[in-house]
């Protein structure tokens, strides 16, 4: 996936689009990640100042949510569902194989709502049902 | 000529986009409609052709099958190994009672014209001719209860909000469908988003709210994009905005996207998250109906609850409550997932047995191995064994059997499953997803996982089982919300219904 390089000026322009939102902090962090691929730590004071919150408030939100990351992502992102419905059809075995092959790209996830066609895996934002290592490799290309 | 290839993300996950592209490649003159899924996920990719005799189904179709479909003249309903006859006559679908899911898979999700042709907007138009009191009374009379899991009567919640005075009230739709084994909210939004919008609009008119918010999880990117488009179409149509369908009522909807937190499906944590904060659970009281989003009176309902309201207003409370058993009235959208041969959406009146769902509809396990356990109601729901297959699927019977309906998801396991491992996972999941506010949940879950690990290893098994049950009691009674309060349910049901998995080294 393509992201813009981190820039405080670009971030400020984006934050301005949320000026009229009620309760904007989480939205602001999500917007940063969507644009830059991650939440640069410089965003914390930036968002805090912009919306008149404390840095602790923003840090608290940033560290609460599993989706938010503070380091740039790799070229590919593989999210494996390891919740019950996918466990029932071999997600744990798949997890071992995928993590052995792509240790730096793979993260656990809990449910993509594809529970009748598991194991479910999301590769670079694309959902794969009845996932196998081969299908994941194919989607990574 | 129209050919239907579902755009539902489950169908896409196994190749629906490639199937659609292959069809267009061979005959570019065809109109491909990306409908929602009919819910028979075991038949996906289910391709349908519109003929003079109705819609004819072929499935499951893979991209490689497309040429052979053309060779068999599928556009005129030609014979083919994947032919399923008329879609409406497929027994798995024909025997269902589709009310909430009446239009899903049938219409183009973003066509307001088709929505109207299939009964859409009748409920809202009735509501606009009515009064707040009559709408709320109709919803109360229908017996409709919260489909998110708590089962609270929807009409009573609405009445509380209607009677609370405030300049600003909110309708919050909980679309944070985080339970493993549940996907009905997603499929409804992807397949018939206008129904949800209509239900929210009716709720807004009933309680005097002008703002609606859908809290939709980030794991559902396609649902987000479909709902956003539907909201924009409804605005252009003069439905959402300052004058709902030309009336004096104003109502609009905005989507807030979740950020991967399970506990944000708990209603007060969801409110915190919409307010942009950490998803930490609030103590109740005050009830959200009185002090909810931004401190204002707020209706919080699940997607399925709100999406059932238009039908109640269109056909009347009596038509809805004619189905069901006891205090579980109407239909439930059951979701069959996990290790199951024929998974998908089964909407039936309450009172169907577990066995009918798993055998008649589910067709046994996917692996072909013997069925051993089914978890009902998500990760906080109980594990049922083969001895409980006659259980009636309704709110009260499931509670009496030591479980709960939850959001109506059933996750099937074959005989490879180890229920001690599943119990341990329940505790681990709670440890990962706990908001951290209360001690029994935050710390109890970690200690619980450790204790189950000792039982699995055969260390002081009897002592540790006693300790685990004691911990479960503390979590059940001492947690602030259902996350810590219900995590003991899968654990204890596993111990009670599958004692042979908790014998330690003696297993």
């Amino acid at each position: 996936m393509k992201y813009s390089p981190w820039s405080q000026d670009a971030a400020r322009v984006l934050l301005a689009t949320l000026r009229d939102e009620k309760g904007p902090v989480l939205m602001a962090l999500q917007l940063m990640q969507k644009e830059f691929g991650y939440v640069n730590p410089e965003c914390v004071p930036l968002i805090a100042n912009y919306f008149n919150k404390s840095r602790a408030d923003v840090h608290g939100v940033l560290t609460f949510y599993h989706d938010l990351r503070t380091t740039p992502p790799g070229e590919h992102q593989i999210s494996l569902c390891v919740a019950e419905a996918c466990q029932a059809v071999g997600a744990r075995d798949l997890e071992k194989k995928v993590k052995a092959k792509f240790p730096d790209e793979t993260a656990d996830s809990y449910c993509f709502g594809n529970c009748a066609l598991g194991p479910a895996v999301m590769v670079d934002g694309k959902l794969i049902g009845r996932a196998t290592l081969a299908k994941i490799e194919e989607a990574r290309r | 000529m129209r050919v239907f290839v579902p755009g539902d993300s489950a169908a896409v996950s196994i190749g629906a986009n490639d199937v659609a592209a292959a069809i267009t490649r061979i005959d570019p003159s065809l109109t491909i409609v990306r409908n929602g899924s009919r819910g028979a996920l075991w038949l996906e990719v289910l391709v349908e052709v519109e003929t003079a005799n109705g819609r004819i189904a072929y499935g499951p179709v893979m991209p490689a099958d497309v040429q052979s479909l053309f060779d068999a003249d599928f556009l005129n309903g030609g014979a083919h190994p994947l032919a399923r006859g008329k879609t409406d006559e497929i027994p798995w679908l024909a025997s269902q009672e589709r009310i909430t899911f009446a239009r899903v898979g049938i219409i183009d999700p973003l066509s307001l014209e088709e929505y109207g042709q299939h009964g859409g907007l009748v409920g809202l138009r009735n509501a606009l001719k009515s009064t707040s009191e009559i709408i709320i009374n109709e919803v109360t009379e229908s017996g409709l209860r919260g489909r998110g899991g708590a089962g609270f009567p929807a009409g009573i919640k609405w009445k509380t909000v209607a009677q609370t005075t405030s300049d600003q009230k909110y309708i919050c739709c909980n679309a944070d469908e985080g339970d493993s084994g549940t996907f009905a909210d997603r499929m409804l939004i992807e397949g018939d988003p206008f129904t949800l919008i209509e239900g929210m609009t009716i709720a807004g008119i009933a309680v005097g709210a002008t703002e609606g918010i859908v809290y939709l999880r980030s794991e559902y990117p396609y649902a987000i994009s479909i709902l956003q488009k539907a909201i924009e179409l409804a605005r252009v149509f003069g439905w959402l905005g300052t004058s709902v369908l030309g009336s004096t009522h104003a109502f609009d909807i905005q989507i807030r996207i979740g950020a991967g937190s399970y506990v944000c499906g708990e209603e007060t944590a969801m409110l915190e998250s919409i307010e942009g904060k950490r998803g930490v659970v609030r103590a109740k009281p005050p009830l959200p109906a009185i002090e909810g989003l931004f401190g204002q009176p707020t209706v919080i309902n699940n997607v399925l609850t709100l999406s059932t309201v238009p039908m109640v207003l269109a056909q009347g409370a009596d038509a809805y409550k004619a189905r069901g058993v006891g205090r579980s009235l109407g239909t439930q959208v059951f979701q069959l997932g996990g290790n199951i041969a024929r998974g998908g959406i089964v909407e039936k009146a309450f009172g169907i047995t577990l066995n009918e769902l798993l055998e008649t509809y589910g067709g046994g396990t996917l692996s072909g191995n013997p069925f051993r356990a089914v978890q009902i109601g998500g990760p906080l729901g109980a594990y049922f064994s083969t001895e409980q297959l006659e259980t009636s699927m309704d709110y009260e019977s499931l509670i009496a059997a030591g479980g709960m309906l939850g959001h109506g998801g059933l996750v099937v396991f074959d005989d490879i499953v180890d229920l001690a491992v599943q119990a341990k996972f329940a505790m681990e999941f709670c440890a990962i997803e706990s908001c951290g506010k209360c001690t029994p949940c935050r710390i109890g879950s970690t200690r619980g996982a450790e204790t189950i690990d000792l039982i699995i290893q055969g260390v002081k098994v009897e002592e540790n089982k006693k300790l685990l049950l004691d911990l479960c009691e503390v979590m059940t009674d001492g947690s602030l919300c259902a996350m810590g309060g219900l995590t003991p349910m899968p654990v204890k049901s596993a111990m009670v219904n599958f004692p042979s998995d908790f014998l330690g080294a003696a297993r």
Side-chain angles (χ1 to χ4, degrees), chain B residues 42-174:
Chain B
W42 54 286
L43 286 177
E44 294 293 355
V45 179
L46 186 76
V47 174
E48 291 176 85
V49 187
E50 198 167 53
T51 71
N53 291 324
R55 277 155 73 161
I56 309 290
Y58 296 84
V61 176
M62 292 297 122
D65 301 319
V66 171
Q67 184 61 55
S68 71
L69 284 176
F70 276 96
D71 296 344
D73 193 24
F74 84 120
L75 293 175
N76 291 305
H80 187 277
L82 296 177
R84 300 277 169 176
K86 289 185 188 174
T87 321
D88 292 334
E89 291 173 5
I90 297 172
W92 199 91
L93 290 169
S95 59
Q96 295 195 29
E97 296 162 84
R98 293 280 176 102
I99 290 176
T100 311
F101 265 61
R103 284 177 288 261
V104 177
I106 294 174
I107 63 167
D108 175 345
L110 293 174
S111 165
L112 267 162
E113 195 187 342
E114 287 191 23
Y115 183 68
Q117 285 164 356
H118 287 82
L121 287 174
V122 175
L124 175 57
R125 291 207 163 96
N126 286 346
L128 285 168
K129 283 183 271 180
S130 193
T131 64
S132 160
E133 213 173 9
I134 294 171
I135 299 170
I136 293 171
N137 197 39
E138 203 66 29
V139 174
T140 308
E141 275 297 302
S142 74
L144 177 63
R145 293 167 68 177
R147 297 282 185 258
F152 190 82
I156 293 175
K157 193 183 274 183
W158 289 21
K159 194 173 180 182
T160 309
V161 176
Q163 288 175 344
T164 308
T165 31
S166 170
D167 295 339
Q168 182 66 60
K169 298 178 186 180
Y170 295 100
I171 307 298
C172 279
C173 171
N174 188 341

Side-chain angles (χ1 to χ4, degrees), chain A residues 18 20-27 29-30 34 53 56-68 81-90 92-93 108-122 125-131 135, chain B residues 9-14 41 44 170 178-183 186 211 215 217-221 254 256-261 263-264 273-280 294 336-340 343-344 366 375 379 383 411-413 422 425 429 432-433 435:
Chain A
L18 299 177
D20 298 325
E21 293 291 346
K22 279 177 274 191
V25 173
L26 176 56
M27 288 175 96
L29 291 164
Q30 288 171 315
K34 194 176 169 193
K53 300 279 177 196
D57 285 336
V58 180
H59 177 81
V61 177
L62 175 58
T63 50
F64 183 85
Y65 293 96
H66 302 306
D67 278 1
L68 300 173
C81 178
V82 289
E84 289 89 341
C86 288
Q87 289 174 21
V89 284
R92 291 298 188 194
D93 287 338
D108 291 348
S109 197
Y110 297 95
C111 202
F112 295 107
N114 200 20
C115 315
L117 296 171
V121 177
M122 204 173 262
K126 190 180 167 219
L127 184 63
I128 299 170
R130 297 273 187 249
K135 280 192 183 182
Chain B
S9 42
V12 171
S13 81
I14 50 164
L41 293 172
E44 294 293 355
Y170 295 100
D179 288 353
S180 173
T182 65
F183 41 85
R186 177 186 65 69
E211 277 189 51
Y215 187 78
R217 54 201 304 260
S218 63
E219 291 87 345
Y220 289 178
Q254 144 173 209
R256 287 288 179 111
I257 300 168
S261 158
V263 79
C264 287
S273 186
I274 296 172
E275 292 182 10
K277 302 172 192 161
R278 292 166 68 87
V280 175
F294 300 110
L336 308 183
N339 198 326
I340 192 150
L366 177 70
Q375 188 178 26
Y383 284 98
V411 173
V412 175
F413 294 82
Q422 295 309 118
F425 175 74
F429 184 67
I432 293 166
E433 297 296 333
C435 82

Side-chain angles (χ1 to χ4, degrees), chain B residues 459-493:
Chain B
V459 180
K460 294 182 187 164
V461 172
E462 285 313 310
E463 260 177 71
N464 277 313
K465 279 204 285 202
K466 221 173 131 192
L467 189 65
L468 181 61
L469 286 174
D470 189 55
L471 173 68
C472 284
E473 193 184 326
V474 172
M475 288 177 72
T476 305
D477 295 341
S479 299
L480 200 53
C481 82
M483 176 94 229
L486 289 176
T487 292
M489 189 179 273
V491 176
K492 281 166 77 176
S493 62

